[in-house]
DNA sequence: GACAAACCTTGATCTCGGTCAAATTGGCGC
DNA sequence: GCGCCAATTTGACCGAGATCAAGGTTTGTC
């Protein structure tokens, strides 16, 4: 992922010949995402239209099938993207962590619903404003293109997990992914809090709550993980976890 | 999808103030994909480096984990993108039909393998050449961005199928998808040839060959489809098929 | 600190899809 | 048309994970 952003970083410097503040004035927050490639003028312009919002767990940001009027940057927390069948069966198709960009450029209607999984803060950007800026700024489009490609890679990884792994491997894969996300270069023991409930994990893995719970219990019994208060997880040996996850 | 390409079409006209031949001189073929947004100069330049190739079913275009030296446009046939676990379990994560663009921009190494599913022809483009052109041409990047977003939508649709649908619904969903692809506006009976073997369909759906076969037999018994010679399928009522697929 | 409401775990049982094995069919060269 | 090989179908059986049903924990509120 570092690799991927390097080019953008260089482009940016080439083009503007100076460092640019990556703090978006609109939110008075550091957007790790697309604001990094914006010029000061663009950021100033953008900040006239953006609004910062808190979103509580369970609240919907965009509903499936709704018209979309805004994009957003995730400033804090985790947003889950999901799809639902008419009879209520649900599948989570993506997780957006801060500072991801949230939205589907160039599409009027959302085919997925976005919902806060944890306490979340977003910086909302009207669709029309960003669409115009993207049209004028190749660097911005490049950045969004990159994020789309990263999300595509992630989605395809997850398809392998959904289609071909056992329940045990699925749960281990999920824990491994989250562990790496929150603690990418941990050497020894890796510790983190799960951002999702058992129900959400089940929806992410295409399993039932009961199966997720049983597999967690099994992983605990086998010494692969430790759990405190349901959400707090500790991994003594990441390689062991990767092995159980079928990641070799 | 038409909607999506409209913008590019307009941009192109604005910028170049003329119609552009969408026939890529390199392949003497009509690339429906990215060549449509190239200037005549770009096409001439590109044609110095491209090569047209026939690929037989089962032949690998790019292997998982390999260095990638080229992109390609699919001119004819179907290419399957797949991922494999160390023990051989396989999942197809995407299908590329002509005239799709094949490749993962801005990444040196492929995490998926691409293999011809049918008799296929591709137009191969050296990575370095296209990367340079994309850097110089916002329209080209826009086009590739669009394709990435469409593929992301498709991947997420498929995640719902993989994670939450029954075997019956999975097979029906697959048939529905293929039927729509080859005959998008059929009103009455829809007829087509399956581009994949039962084994490939199984790898696409996260099932076994036997289950795919049984479900096909069941769909035939229920009158939802007719099959001749294993590959030739006929759908008398697409709405009925959609219903069985859980698409409402 | 008591109560309620989520949330999570555990147990018993059932079922869908996997596994193993054996026919059957289709494609193709001669 | 015949024979061969690969692809597909069909059958019998099994097991991983779903379902149904309690029973525990955690969290938040008054």
């Amino acid at each position: 992922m570092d690799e991927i952003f390097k080019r953008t970083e260089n482009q940016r410097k080439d083009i503007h010949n100076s460092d640019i503040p990556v703090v978006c004035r609109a939110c008075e927050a550091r957007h790790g995402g697309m604001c990094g490639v914006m010029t000061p003028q663009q950021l100033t312009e953008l900040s006239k239209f953006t609004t910062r919002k808190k979103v509580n767990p369970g609240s919907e940001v965009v509903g499936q099938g709704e018209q979309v009027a805004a994009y957003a940057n995730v400033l804090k927390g985790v947003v889950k993207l999901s799809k639902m069948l008419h009879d209520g069966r649900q599948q989570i198709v993506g997780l957006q962590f801060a500072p991801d960009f949230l939205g589907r450029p160039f599409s009027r209607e959302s085919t997925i619903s976005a919902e806060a999984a944890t306490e979340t803060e977003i910086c909302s950007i009207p669709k029309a404003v960003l669409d115009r800026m993207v049209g004028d700024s190749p660097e911005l489009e490049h950045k969004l293109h990159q994020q789309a490609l990263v999300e595509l890679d992630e989605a395809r990884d997850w398809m392998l997990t959904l289609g071909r792994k056992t329940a045990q491997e699925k749960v281990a894969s999920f824990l491994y992914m989250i562990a790496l996300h929150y603690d990418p270069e941990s050497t020894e023991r890796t510790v983190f809090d799960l951002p999702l409930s058992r129900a959400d994990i089940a929806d992410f893995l295409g399993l039932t709550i009961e199966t997720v719970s049983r597999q967690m219990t099994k992983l605990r019994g086998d010494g692969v993980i430790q759990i405190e208060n349901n959400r707090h997880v500790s991994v003594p040996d990441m390689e062991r976890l990767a092995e159980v996850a079928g990641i070799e």
Side-chain angles (χ1 to χ4, degrees), chain A residues 113-134:
Chain A
S113 92
E115 195 179 299
T118 64
E119 286 240 318
T120 297
E121 277 177 39
I122 61 169
C123 169
S124 177
I125 308 161
K127 197 173 175 313
V129 173
L130 191 68
D131 280 348
R132 185 162 45 71
M133 288 182 82
V134 170

Side-chain angles (χ1 to χ4, degrees), chain A residues 54-83:
Chain A
K54 269 197 176 27
V55 190
N56 290 324
S59 297
E60 222 177 35
V61 182
V62 194
Q64 192 168 348
E66 275 178 22
Q67 298 292 308
V68 182
Y71 300 121
N73 276 325
V74 181
L75 300 178
K76 191 162 152 301
V78 179
V79 174
K80 56 188 195 198
L81 308 179
S82 58
K83 289 190 155 255

Side-chain angles (χ1 to χ4, degrees), chain A residues 42-104:
Chain A
Q42 285 178 316
L43 282 173
T44 306
E45 176 67 12
L46 185 66
S47 67
K48 291 180 197 156
F49 302 100
T50 55
T51 46
R52 188 170 183 163
K53 291 177 189 168
K54 269 197 176 27
V55 190
N56 290 324
S59 297
E60 222 177 35
V61 182
V62 194
Q64 192 168 348
E66 275 178 22
Q67 298 292 308
V68 182
Y71 300 121
N73 276 325
V74 181
L75 300 178
K76 191 162 152 301
V78 179
V79 174
K80 56 188 195 198
L81 308 179
S82 58
K83 289 190 155 255
M84 214 196 256
L85 254 25
H86 50 80
D87 63 1
R89 282 175 289 174
Q90 198 176 33
Q91 176 67 46
I92 293 183
V93 298
L95 292 177
Q96 312 264 207
F97 299 88
D100 288 344
F101 171 78
L102 182 64
R104 165 66 166 83

Side-chain angles (χ1 to χ4, degrees), chain A residues 25-210:
Chain A
R25 295 167 200 198
C27 304
E28 291 157 8
R30 172 175 273 268
H31 291 192
M34 56 186 196
C35 294
V37 292
M38 289 186 172
T39 62
Q41 293 88 327
Q42 285 178 316
L43 282 173
T44 306
E45 176 67 12
L46 185 66
S47 67
K48 291 180 197 156
F49 302 100
T50 55
T51 46
R52 188 170 183 163
K53 291 177 189 168
K54 269 197 176 27
V55 190
N56 290 324
S59 297
E60 222 177 35
V61 182
V62 194
Q64 192 168 348
E66 275 178 22
Q67 298 292 308
V68 182
Y71 300 121
N73 276 325
V74 181
L75 300 178
K76 191 162 152 301
V78 179
V79 174
K80 56 188 195 198
L81 308 179
S82 58
K83 289 190 155 255
M84 214 196 256
L85 254 25
H86 50 80
D87 63 1
R89 282 175 289 174
Q90 198 176 33
Q91 176 67 46
I92 293 183
V93 298
L95 292 177
Q96 312 264 207
F97 299 88
D100 288 344
F101 171 78
L102 182 64
R104 165 66 166 83
F106 319 120
S107 167
R108 257 155 233 39
E109 201 181 296
S110 174
T111 61
I112 63 185
S113 92
E115 195 179 299
T118 64
E119 286 240 318
T120 297
E121 277 177 39
I122 61 169
C123 169
S124 177
I125 308 161
K127 197 173 175 313
V129 173
L130 191 68
D131 280 348
R132 185 162 45 71
M133 288 182 82
V134 170
D136 296 341
S137 164
E139 300 85 55
L140 195 49
E141 172 135 44
H142 183 70
K143 190 86 179 178
L144 294 178
H145 186 188
Q146 299 292 15
Q147 172 163 335
L149 288 168
V150 169
E151 285 180 30
L152 184 57
D153 287 345
E154 288 169 355
R156 286 175 168 169
D157 275 345
W158 214 250
M159 288 171 81
L160 177 62
T161 300
L162 285 173
R164 289 304 186 195
K165 289 191 183 174
T166 64
Q168 173 97 202
E169 290 169 330
K170 284 181 177 180
V171 172
S173 297
F174 173 75
L175 293 171
Y176 188 75
M177 185 204 79
I178 298 293
L180 274 195
H181 187 90
Y182 284 113
D183 200 349
E185 41 222 290
S186 95
T187 47
E188 290 276 318
R189 172 170 296 269
T190 305
V191 176
F192 57 96
D193 283 306
L194 288 176
L196 301 188
S197 68
R198 298 292 187 273
D200 283 340
I201 297 174
D203 280 344
F204 195 66
L205 296 171
L207 299 170
T208 58
I209 314 180
E210 293 94 328

